[in-house]
Amino acid sequence: MSNIPKETRTTIMPCMRYRDAPGAIDWLCSTLGFEASLVVPNEDGSIAHAQLSYGNGMVMLGSIFDTEYGRLMKQPGEIGMAVTQSAYLVVNNADEVYERALRAGAPILMELKDEDYGGRGFTLRDPEGHVWSIGTYDPWKQ
């Protein structure tokens, strides 16, 4: 068995589900700066699959469906707003993203601050309760 990762732009991508996937796509793009590189809508307006890129990273998302894969996940609102994973977004200017998040009405869970380990960042909840940390800390540059 080979333990060598595939040679590609990024080898790990969070996969998320949203009740209002079209709204989530709009929010993630306008507030956090993602770009919708692929959106596959269903006839009913739900999203079968979407790929949102940010630099050389990406998240994949879609609408909630009652499928084998869909039943593996719970939304934060179904489990007391808890999450079992979160995403970290490396940005050039955390203050700028923080201001956009405030204007978008995002609940700030951890205020913008300089971190002891380097970088500047904050943590928020998106409109459906997923937790995102945003900051300038770049683990590849350490």
Side-chain angles (χ1 to χ4, degrees):
M1 182 170 104
S2 174
N3 196 23
I4 300 171
K6 182 175 182 171
E7 193 65 36
T8 187
R9 288 181 69 184
T10 186
T11 56
I12 299 175
M13 289 160 268
C15 297
M16 307 170 90
R17 293 289 178 250
Y18 287 89
R19 285 181 185 84
D20 177 9
I25 291 167
D26 289 343
W27 192 90
L28 291 167
C29 290
S30 66
T31 304
L32 299 186
F34 281 92
E35 292 182 19
S37 53
L38 175 68
V39 177
V40 181
N42 291 312
E43 288 183 17
D44 66 0
S46 63
I47 302 297
H49 178 75
Q51 296 171 189
L52 306 184
S53 59
Y54 187 89
N56 64 352
M58 177 183 294
V59 296
M60 295 190 294
L61 65 89
S63 296
I64 296 172
F65 297 108
D66 185 21
T67 62
E68 181 180 14
Y69 182 69
R71 288 186 291 275
L72 296 173
M73 296 184 211
K74 297 287 184 200
Q75 294 302 101
E78 296 175 283
I79 54 174
M81 297 307 280
V83 296
T84 61
Q85 65 177 349
S86 66
Y88 182 78
L89 185 65
V90 181
V91 300
N92 285 315
N93 187 331
D95 293 74
E96 181 181 299
V97 180
Y98 180 80
E99 290 302 321
R100 281 198 315 261
L102 288 176
R103 284 194 303 274
I108 304 299
L109 303 178
M110 297 172 65
E111 284 295 329
L112 180 65
K113 65 179 179 179
D114 293 322
E115 300 292 353
D116 294 339
Y117 53 81
R120 182 167 172 77
F122 67 100
T123 301
L124 61 74
R125 244 186 233 288
D126 74 17
E128 293 201 21
H130 297 285
V131 174
W132 294 82
S133 293
I134 296 98
T136 60
Y137 174 73
D138 184 348
W140 297 110
K141 302 278 178 157
Q142 300 309 312

